[in-house]
């Protein structure tokens, strides 16, 4: 498994596809080992790196959502190389459509890994919260976005909407009495919210 993860990392470096950073990957891996989730929902597959990290740390089945056709193809290939194709279902298309469909079908998950479009985190939140079982974890990556989210400096116009949306997301999870949220200020920032 380590070999395939190294290959994906090298590939990501070459193509500029963002993948989970090392410290964040380690925390994700440790959480999956400790909590032993059975059903994981991942928003933002990219090339499959984080899904492989999670699945190699527990016995779960995972549903992952990816909009980009090329990335989805690469991810499917990587899942196959890792021998995980029977434990992963990749859904291509807009994440919000899939999330709403799961919500309508009353699907539940005990672990949700949120790494899709940052500006949408706060819009996904009510649905993800409803689908998360008691004791389940919502793990959101890149919540500090280059440190801009906590910064008092003037944010460049093109990033402002995303930064504001992430600030609203963090405020929502940190002030929600149904969640116990821990903000981990490493790399690009993680929030780990356990549903009470």
């Amino acid at each position: 498994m380590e070999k395939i993860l190294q290959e994906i990392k090298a590939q990501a470096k070459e193509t500029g596809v963002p993948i989970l950073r090392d410290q964040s990957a380690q925390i994700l891996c440790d959480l999956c080992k400790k909590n032993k989730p059975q059903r994981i929902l991942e928003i933002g597959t990219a090339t499959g790196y984080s899904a492989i990290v999670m699945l190699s740390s527990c016995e779960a089945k995972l549903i992952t959502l990816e909009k980009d056709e090329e990335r989805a193809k690469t991810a499917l290939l990587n899942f196959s190389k890792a021998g995980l194709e029977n434990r992963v279902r990749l859904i291509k298309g807009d994440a919000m459509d899939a999330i709403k469909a799961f919500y309508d079908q009353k699907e539940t998950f005990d672990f949700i890994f949120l790494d899709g479009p940052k500006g949408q985190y706060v819009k996904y939140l009510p649905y993800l919260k409803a689908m998360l079982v008691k004791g389940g974890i919502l793990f959101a990556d890149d919540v500090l976005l280059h440190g801009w989210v906590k910064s008092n400096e003037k944010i460049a116009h093109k990033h402002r909407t995303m930064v504001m949306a992430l600030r609203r997301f963090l405020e929502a999870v940190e002030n929600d009495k149904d969640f116990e949220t821990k903000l981990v200020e490493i790399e690009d920032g993680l929030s780990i919210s356990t549903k009470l």
Side-chain angles (χ1 to χ4, degrees):
M1 206 64 83
E2 198 48 48
K3 186 171 172 282
I4 178 82
L5 287 172
Q6 291 308 324
E7 273 175 32
I8 300 172
K9 272 167 89 167
Q11 194 181 38
K13 212 173 193 169
E14 222 170 88
T15 55
V17 173
I19 61 166
L20 194 63
R21 292 178 176 84
D22 292 347
Q23 285 175 281
S24 304
Q26 190 56 58
I27 291 171
L28 185 60
C29 175
D30 293 345
L31 270 176
C32 286
K33 275 182 183 157
K34 184 178 159 220
N35 292 282
K36 300 179 177 61
Q38 294 301 300
R39 294 195 80 214
I40 300 174
L41 174 64
E42 175 182 56
I43 295 130
T45 317
T47 53
Y49 182 78
S50 42
I52 295 171
V53 165
M54 290 186 275
L55 290 174
S56 59
S57 315
C58 63
E59 298 299 312
K61 287 217 155 120
L62 180 141
I63 296 174
T64 185
L65 314 175
E66 179 56 57
K67 195 175 189 172
D68 186 291
E69 200 70 42
E70 281 309 305
R71 288 182 184 183
K73 263 188 218 162
T74 306
L76 286 171
L77 197 66
N78 287 333
F79 296 148
S80 176
K81 279 188 201 165
L84 293 168
E85 64 274 23
N86 297 333
R87 290 171 58 201
V88 182
R89 181 175 149 217
L90 190 147
I91 297 172
K92 282 180 266 196
D94 185 70
M96 190 53 132
D97 295 342
I99 289 167
K100 282 181 174 170
F102 289 145
Y103 174 80
D104 291 341
Q105 292 153 14
K106 301 202 173 3
E107 294 272 5
T108 58
F109 299 92
D110 36 20
F111 200 99
I112 298 175
F113 178 63
L114 180 53
D115 195 17
K118 313 302 161 221
Q120 302 298 314
Y121 281 19
V122 72
K123 290 180 188 164
Y124 299 155
L125 186 59
Y127 300 99
L128 300 182
K129 179 184 169 180
M131 292 190 282
L132 200 59
V133 300
K134 205 172 169 178
I137 290 172
L138 171 62
F139 185 112
D141 193 27
D142 300 323
V143 292
L144 295 179
L145 202 67
H146 312 300
W148 296 331
V149 172
K150 286 270 187 178
S151 169
N152 294 322
E153 288 169 38
K154 195 170 174 352
I155 308 296
H157 183 71
K158 64 176 178 178
H159 302 301
R160 204 167 299 151
T161 309
M162 204 171 7
V163 169
M164 299 310 278
L166 279 169
R167 282 177 181 161
R168 286 201 308 276
F169 170 79
L170 279 179
E171 202 178 307
V173 288
E174 286 172 339
N175 294 322
D176 191 323
K177 289 179 173 48
D178 297 329
F179 278 132
E180 188 182 291
T181 295
K182 192 167 92 185
L183 180 63
V184 186
E185 297 193 34
I186 56 158
E187 295 164 342
D188 243 351
L190 316 166
S191 67
I192 302 164
S193 305
T194 306
K195 191 168 173 183
L196 303 171

